[in-house]
Each structure stands twice: as structure tokens, then as C-alpha cells.
Amino acid sequence: MTSVGELLNRLTEIGELPKTLLYPLDGTKIEAWAVLAAGFCDSGVRAKVQLAAPWWFNDQVYGIQRQFEACANLYPISLSVGMLTDSRSFISYPRHELYRRMLCNYLGALVERGEYFSGEEELKETIENVCFNNVNEFFGFGVER
């Protein structure tokens, strides 16, 4: 992880840091990766470096929940590009559905505990952003809804 941080820092110093998604495979270090991601901000790009959705061994209920908590402690989860995949296979759909359900459960728990301070319209916007709008903007897809 140190070498990744050094690489991101060097790219920042020369003004060449691209939009970056970090996919850690070691779930025990998810918080450390979230800290690393939060350390690289750019006024021109929202969440330029971010902890990506849980992948491989981590894309299950516990891993997804842990990723939400790690990110939310450092930067707004509403900036996330959500669940991405490099696959066009039918088998990927359940992973995306689980992610969306976990996101709604996570946000619902915040509301229940009184830790969410906005209204329903803002909550709806956050969910839509994480599930579609952010990735559309982040990669410049320009898809109209």
C-alpha cells in the first residue's frame, strides 16, 4: 500500500494523477485504503481517488457493509461510483442487486439511528447518485436518463 501511496503522490506532484479507483483484496486493510483514497483530492474532480466497491473476496454482505463504514468515516459515501463490473455476464447482476440493497440498508440504518440529517428527497438523490449518476459523470459516459 505504501508504494501505491507513493505512486499517487508522485503523479499528483507532476499534475498527472488520473481518476483512480482502489480495489483492495485484503478486507482487513479496508480502512487503511479508505484513508489513502481520501488523501488525494482535486478541486476539479469530485472523489478523484476513491475506494471502489468491494471486489472478489469482499463482495458479500460483511465486506460491503465494512466498505460503506470505512468510506463514510472519511468522505461522503454519496460521492461513490457504486458497484462496477468488468463483466457483461448475467451472473454479475445479483452482485449489483446485493450492493444496492446493502446501500439502502446502510442509509436506512443511519436514518433510524438519527444520524442522517437530510430529508427523503436528498436520500433519494444520494441513492440515485451512487447507483448511476456518479459513475456516469466520473467516466464521462454522458448517458441521459
Side-chain angles (χ1 to χ4, degrees):
M1 184 173 54
T2 302
S3 60
V4 173
E6 290 172 10
L7 175 64
L8 295 174
N9 189 52
R10 288 185 185 156
L11 288 169
T12 299
E13 288 174 349
I14 62 171
E16 296 293 328
L17 179 66
K19 295 175 186 174
T20 305
L21 301 174
L22 302 174
Y23 286 93
L25 295 181
D26 184 347
T28 65
K29 295 185 170 64
I30 204 87
E31 289 82 5
W33 284 96
V35 168
L36 180 64
F40 292 92
C41 301
D42 183 327
S43 60
V45 180
R46 289 180 7 176
K48 188 170 191 174
V49 177
Q50 60 180 279
L51 188 61
W55 202 250
W56 283 66
F57 315 112
N58 302 308
D59 65 347
Q60 33 66 19
V61 171
Y62 177 74
I64 294 170
Q65 179 70 27
R66 188 164 180 185
Q67 187 258 6
F68 288 149
E69 291 169 357
C71 290
N73 284 331
L74 297 162
Y75 54 87
I77 199 159
S78 61
L79 300 177
S80 170
V81 295
M83 175 62 79
L84 303 174
T85 186
D86 61 352
S87 170
R88 290 165 196 80
S89 75
F90 183 71
I91 284 186
S92 291
Y93 296 143
R95 292 176 44 252
H96 290 262
E97 181 65 17
L98 176 63
Y99 184 88
R100 286 189 294 270
R101 288 173 185 246
M102 291 296 301
L103 174 65
C104 291
N105 285 343
Y106 175 76
L107 294 172
L110 292 178
V111 170
E112 269 186 0
R113 292 191 310 258
E115 298 174 19
Y116 183 81
F117 305 109
S118 295
E120 284 184 33
E121 191 58 37
E122 291 81 6
L123 188 60
K124 176 182 177 280
E125 183 179 340
T126 293
I127 293 167
E128 288 174 348
N129 286 344
V130 172
C131 293
F132 177 79
N133 296 327
N134 292 348
V135 73
N136 191 33
E137 180 183 325
F138 191 81
F139 289 111
F141 292 147
V143 175
E144 297 292 324
R145 287 188 74 187

